[in-house]
Amino acid sequence: MFKQFGIGAPSEFFTQPPSVGVSIARSGQLDELVALEQLGSRRSFARDAEIYAEGDRADCWFKIVSGTVRICKLMADGRRHIAEFFHAGDCFGLDGEGERTFAAEAVGDVIVMRFNRAATERLIDERPVLARCMCNMMLRNLAHAQTRLLLLGRMTAPERVASFLLELAERRDVRRVLEVPMSRNDIADYLGLTIETVCRVLSAMKRDGTIAIPNPHRIEICDRDALEATVEM
Amino acid sequence: MFKQFGIGAPSEFFTQPPSVGVSIARSGQLDELVALEQLGSRRSFARDAEIYAEGDRADCWFKIVSGTVRICKLMADGRRHIAEFFHAGDCFGLDGEGERTFAAEAVGDVIVMRFNRAATERLIDERPVLARCMCNMMLRNLAHAQTRLLLLGRMTAPERVASFLLELAERRDVRRVLEVPMSRNDIADYLGLTIETVCRVLSAMKRDGTIAIPNPHRIEICDRDALEATVEM
DNA sequence: CGCCAGTTTGACCAAGATCAACGCAAGTGG
DNA sequence: CCACTTGCGTTGATCTTGGTCAAACTGGCG
């Protein structure tokens, strides 16, 4: 089982039941977790350090203890694209068994658990219930990618920025004060915009009272309805 | 196993080994296929017919016998987004167990096999090797979505069109003469462009001899190198 | 033949990119 | 402790890509 797997998991693999029904492994889960902890080794990375590079052998995966990670790719002419951000509790790096197709980098200082792929596979063979977790994880990844496809394909700059803020709020489960660990450049490359456009849109939102920006890495949502109205799918 | 699953499968589930190694179920596969055939029922849809709608209960999935299907979504203000095209041999509609988040429509006339989800789940519980197929399928979906993210986020119109043509060629496994079942409008909504831009780019490619367009639904690749150079990631 | 749907082309427009300053806070070194 | 640098972030002016609007073309079909 589990020879190759998804790009990453925007959710709490092994520590929390999947959001949608199914009631997985209520009993076994903790045991698995303990087993996993012993398989993993703690690593830390400084800001902008490369956790793995495009082209590396994909022989391990990671779970974030603290910090934020970006999954990204540099095009030949220097254009950069960020496929995903992962936060504390998320898993990432479960990509195909061959080479990495994206790089993973630390957005700020990051601490992760590193898991050997082969060892994990053995564990999963013993406890097939874990396979179900993996599938759920990949499903969520896929659903999220689909949402982003719509965003990048059909949304205007203000809609993208509004979506981004609401997504941040939802992931961190806060209603008002957002911590924004990534730079404006990261946000731009995530939303398919330029840094200037991101700034301008944020400034416009600040001007009309939708948000407040006490400092660049902290944004407060003052008028959530306005944000939601901006997205309006 | 398999309570909820990916958006669709751009590949040959159950009929062909996965492209990347792993050598799955060499022996059992045919038996499964036979079992499945008996679970499924043949359905046909006319051009533009809705196979399922956004919001429908996701209690079945499909494998395409012939024709092309688009997975799409209409935004409130009429903007349309096509998440994916599926062709003969592909599976789709394995989305989450709740409601459909996208609609599926027939691009031309389409024949599909329709499979009941619950029955399939039972089959998979009996033959866990099938779960591995599912995971591979989702992995491919995910990898493809990631590629499209890059396309929509960071590529110019000519790059998008060139990618599209090369993707078509690769999927159909032809080197020169492409059948293009979908309309220019479909292509535009798939690439995040307008129909006019798609036309203009195709016309430009025709002008400089990269492609020939004997009729709107047939495109010939005359200079594959030029196409590949256009994409150049 | 004329209509219809889809495609193509052209003229013009605007959202967002690019280029260029400027601001501002956190180091750094004299 | 204070100039000076450095790295972001913000703002403005201008340009370009691709969108919008409108008209012409094409091939099938009653």
Side-chain angles (χ1 to χ4, degrees):
Chain A
M1 190 79 273
F2 164 73
K3 267 277 145 50
Q4 23 164 234
F5 267 112
I7 300 302
S11 192
E12 311 71 11
F13 182 39
F14 292 139
T15 56
Q16 219 155 297
S19 49
V20 193
V22 192
S23 92
I24 282 170
R26 238 181 263 288
S27 55
Q29 203 133 32
L30 275 181
D31 303 338
E32 316 298 352
L33 183 59
V34 169
L36 258 182
E37 291 298 346
Q38 288 164 0
L39 288 178
S41 61
R42 199 182 186 83
R43 300 281 167 100
S44 52
F45 294 88
R47 194 173 113 95
D48 290 330
E50 197 166 60
I51 299 174
Y52 55 75
E54 200 183 324
D56 279 4
R57 270 192 50 70
D59 53 3
C60 61
W61 58 277
F62 301 86
K63 173 165 173 157
I64 302 179
V65 176
S66 71
T68 299
V69 169
R70 61 174 174 257
I71 306 300
C72 60
K73 181 168 214 140
L74 212 55
M75 289 172 75
D77 58 0
R79 279 175 288 180
R80 193 179 66 149
H81 168 71
I82 294 183
E84 196 57 83
F85 289 113
F86 290 113
H87 306 279
D90 295 343
C91 299
F92 66 94
L94 291 150
D95 322 50
E97 65 184 329
E99 294 192 346
R100 303 285 186 193
T101 54
F102 286 78
E105 300 170 356
V107 167
D109 292 346
V110 164
I111 300 172
V112 297
M113 295 297 293
R114 180 188 189 282
F115 297 99
N116 182 277
R117 175 178 298 264
T120 317
E121 278 170 29
R122 255 174 275 127
L123 187 66
I124 288 197
D125 279 338
E126 283 167 31
R127 315 255 184 160
V129 77
L130 287 187
R132 202 177 275 204
C133 287
M134 302 298 312
C135 284
N136 282 321
M137 209 171 69
M138 281 169 52
L139 240 210
R140 274 188 304 253
N141 280 335
L142 200 49
H144 191 249
Q146 297 288 346
T147 310
R148 275 175 58 56
L149 241 34
L150 179 63
L151 181 143
L152 293 175
R154 283 288 175 239
M155 286 191 183
T156 64
E159 289 170 333
R160 294 180 197 203
V161 173
S163 295
F164 174 73
L165 294 177
L166 290 171
E167 185 196 325
L168 259 193
E170 193 176 355
R171 278 216 177 168
R172 302 301 189 75
D173 200 25
V174 287
R175 289 202 61 78
R176 214 190 128 84
V177 181
L178 300 183
E179 231 195 288
V180 185
M182 59 291 278
S183 71
R184 296 291 186 263
N185 229 312
D186 285 342
I187 298 174
D189 290 340
Y190 181 62
L191 297 180
L193 299 171
T194 59
I195 176 177
E196 293 95 331
T197 302
V198 171
C199 274
R200 273 188 260 271
V201 171
L202 286 175
S203 297
M205 287 177 170
K206 183 165 77 174
R207 224 171 299 127
D208 54 50
T210 309
I211 60 172
I213 312 180
N215 75 63
H217 292 285
R218 169 141 312 184
I219 296 181
E220 291 178 32
I221 297 177
C222 305
D223 184 353
R224 168 175 271 263
D225 293 345
L227 278 188
E228 277 164 359
T230 307
V231 179
E232 185 71 72
M233 296 205 314
Chain B
M1 189 79 276
F2 163 74
K3 266 279 145 49
Q4 22 162 235
F5 266 111
I7 300 301
S11 191
E12 310 72 12
F13 182 40
F14 291 142
T15 57
Q16 220 154 296
S19 49
V20 193
V22 192
S23 93
I24 282 170
R26 237 181 262 288
S27 56
Q29 203 133 33
L30 275 181
D31 303 338
E32 316 299 351
L33 184 59
V34 169
L36 257 182
E37 291 299 346
Q38 288 164 359
L39 288 178
S41 62
R42 199 183 187 83
R43 300 282 167 100
S44 51
F45 294 88
R47 193 173 113 95
D48 289 329
E50 196 166 61
I51 299 174
Y52 55 75
E54 200 182 324
D56 279 5
R57 270 192 50 70
D59 53 3
C60 62
W61 58 276
F62 302 86
K63 174 165 171 155
I64 302 178
V65 176
S66 71
T68 298
V69 169
R70 61 174 174 257
I71 306 300
C72 60
K73 181 169 215 140
L74 214 55
M75 288 172 76
D77 58 0
R79 278 175 288 179
R80 193 179 66 149
H81 169 71
I82 293 183
E84 196 58 83
F85 289 113
F86 290 114
H87 306 279
D90 295 343
C91 299
F92 67 93
L94 291 151
D95 321 51
E97 65 184 328
E99 293 193 345
R100 303 286 187 192
T101 54
F102 286 79
E105 300 170 356
V107 166
D109 291 346
V110 165
I111 300 173
V112 297
M113 295 296 292
R114 179 187 189 283
F115 297 99
N116 183 278
R117 176 177 296 264
T120 316
E121 279 169 30
R122 256 174 275 127
L123 186 66
I124 287 195
D125 279 338
E126 283 168 32
R127 315 253 183 162
V129 77
L130 288 187
R132 201 177 276 204
C133 288
M134 302 297 312
C135 283
N136 282 320
M137 209 171 68
M138 280 169 53
L139 240 210
R140 274 188 303 253
N141 280 334
L142 200 49
H144 191 249
Q146 297 288 347
T147 309
R148 275 175 59 55
L149 242 34
L150 178 63
L151 181 143
L152 293 175
R154 282 290 176 235
M155 286 191 183
T156 65
E159 289 170 334
R160 294 180 197 203
V161 173
S163 295
F164 174 73
L165 294 176
L166 290 171
E167 186 196 325
L168 259 193
E170 192 176 357
R171 277 217 177 167
R172 301 302 189 74
D173 200 27
V174 287
R175 290 202 62 76
R176 214 190 129 85
V177 181
L178 300 183
E179 232 194 289
V180 185
M182 58 292 277
S183 70
R184 295 290 186 265
N185 229 313
D186 286 342
I187 298 174
D189 290 339
Y190 182 62
L191 297 180
L193 299 170
T194 60
I195 177 175
E196 293 95 329
T197 302
V198 172
C199 275
R200 272 188 262 273
V201 171
L202 286 174
S203 297
M205 287 177 169
K206 183 165 78 174
R207 224 172 299 128
D208 55 50
T210 308
I211 60 173
I213 312 180
N215 75 62
H217 291 285
R218 169 140 312 182
I219 296 181
E220 291 178 32
I221 297 177
C222 305
D223 184 352
R224 169 175 270 263
D225 293 345
L227 278 189
E228 277 164 0
T230 307
V231 180
E232 185 72 69
M233 298 204 314

